Every structure is written in C-alpha cells, then in structure tokens.
Amino acid sequence: GQQVMQIPQYQHVQEGEDFTTYCNSSTTLSNIQWYKQRPGGHPVFLIQLVKSGEVKKQKRLTFQFGEAKKNSSLHITATQTTDVGTYFCAGRAGSARQLTFGSGTQLTVLP
Amino acid sequence: NAGVMQNPRHLVRRRGQEARLRCSPMKGHSHVYWYRQLPEEGLKFMVYLQKENIIDESGMPKERFSAEFPKEGPSILRIQQVVRGDSAAYFCASSPGLAGAVYEQYFGPGTRLTVT
C-alpha cells in the first residue's frame, strides 16, 4: 500500500533559525496537503499543492511539491515560538479514497 | 458555522467495556473520516464514511471496531471489549467531498480514550 514518510521525526531549533521537513511517498501523488497540530490540539489544514513543481508561500512558510509528485517539503524561515507543533504531510495517490498521512515532524522552538 | 464536534472529549473505560465515540461533521459536509493517534505518533486512517455508507474501512481492525454514519445524527465509532492497546486519541474529520481530491479535511478536537 501507499506509504508516506517524513523526516526528521523531531527537530529542535533556536528561535530565529530556519526549519525544513521533508515528505516522501512510495507512489506518485495526485496532490499533497500539509497540516499543523499544536501540542494537545487537533490537525489544522495549512495548504494543498496539486501541480508538479508547485511552490506556494504563506508568510514565512514555503511549500514545494516535487517534479515527480512523490515528494514535498515545508520550509519555515526565522522560526517563532508560535511555530511549535507537529507538521504532517498527507497525500492521495490516484484513485485512492483516503489520504495517507506522514508520521509528522515535531518542531520545538527554543526561545 | 460550527466546526466538527466530537464527544466526549475524554473517555475512560475499563478493559472489556464498550466505547462509543461521536462525531458531528461541519454543516454541509457529507464525508467523514476517523483516525487514531497514539502518543508521539502520526494519524492512522481507520475508516471513511458517507451518509449511510462505509466507503473505505481498510484501516479498521477486523474485530471489535465498527463505524456508522446514519442518515440522521452523528457518526459513531464503536469499540467493543476495549483493551489497554485501544488507549489513544481518536480524531474525526469531515469534508464536503472526497478529501485530497479538491478538498481539505476539517478535524474535530478528538476524543482521548483511556482504558484502565
């Protein structure tokens, strides 16, 4: 079945440093979505990427979808303490009827 | 517009009891998804339902677990004869159409199940 892997599993950064999480799928994806889950909270949708090579920005967050539509990345510039949480990618392959979530990257920002 | 609602937020059950988790999707959403999340782990898909239909239950354990989404009322995830390994956070999500096609999923606050 489809597998979606994320690295790293954990990342500690000093406030102001950059952060990147990577998502890799075993199969070609129709699209990819990113979610953020604050500690003790529930996942919240951030963005969806559909096109090969697509890049989208949300303030300090930059999302990329690979040319082969099998990988994606989320980059945060100049992290802030409000960025703390776990970031999940989720992809749907072809005719699959459900999203497969990556294992998540847990970000800690040290003040 | 109320978001996805789940209740109870916390549920404690003794081994062997039944757990019933409820999810009311966002208004206008007809697609419901259930996920299980163990501490420090990701979201594991369990089941995808539309009104009165189970569309995909490939992530659901074969025994003790069942789900429904009746014509009227919330979606229910039912766990019979709970065991300690069932302790987890159970999240429900909804979307107006097939999630990941065009639509994103909106998650509820989750039900934290503890089996003692």
Side-chain angles (χ1 to χ4, degrees), chain A residues 21-95:
Chain A
T21 172
Y22 300 91
C23 179
N24 293 287
S25 170
S26 58
T27 57
T28 302
L29 301 170
S30 302
N31 52 26
I32 196 152
Q33 298 178 350
W34 285 89
Y35 292 79
K36 177 184 177 181
Q37 184 177 22
R38 292 183 186 275
H42 60 276
V44 175
F45 174 80
L46 293 177
I47 208 159
Q48 174 168 267
L49 303 169
V50 178
K51 299 176 186 174
S52 169
E54 189 170 13
V55 178
K56 286 189 177 180
K57 293 193 175 189
Q58 286 180 351
K59 297 183 180 178
R60 295 178 295 103
L61 278 61
T62 301
F63 304 83
Q64 284 190 302
F65 199 10
E67 293 290 341
K69 300 183 77 172
K70 294 181 74 172
N71 57 70
S72 180
S73 65
L74 158 59
H75 179 82
I76 303 178
T77 304
T79 54
Q80 301 175 358
T81 54
T82 52
D83 296 325
V84 164
T86 301
Y87 292 84
F88 293 99
C89 62
R92 194 175 74 90
S95 60

Side-chain angles (χ1 to χ4, degrees), chain B residues 14-68:
Chain B
R14 289 199 181 97
R15 278 180 299 169
Q17 291 184 319
E18 177 180 288
R20 279 185 176 240
L21 288 61
R22 295 174 186 75
C23 169
S24 295
M26 282 183 72
K27 188 176 181 181
H29 287 193
S30 57
H31 298 240
V32 166
Y33 309 81
W34 285 94
Y35 295 87
R36 177 163 63 179
Q37 186 176 41
L38 295 169
E40 305 293 315
E41 292 191 11
L43 294 155
K44 300 298 184 189
F45 167 79
M46 298 182 74
V47 62
Y48 163 33
L49 309 105
Q50 293 180 33
K51 284 283 187 183
E52 300 184 277
N53 281 308
I54 297 175
I55 306 302
D56 183 346
E57 56 182 349
S58 58
M60 195 95 101
K62 294 283 186 275
E63 296 177 353
R64 303 188 298 108
F65 285 72
S66 62
E68 62 176 8

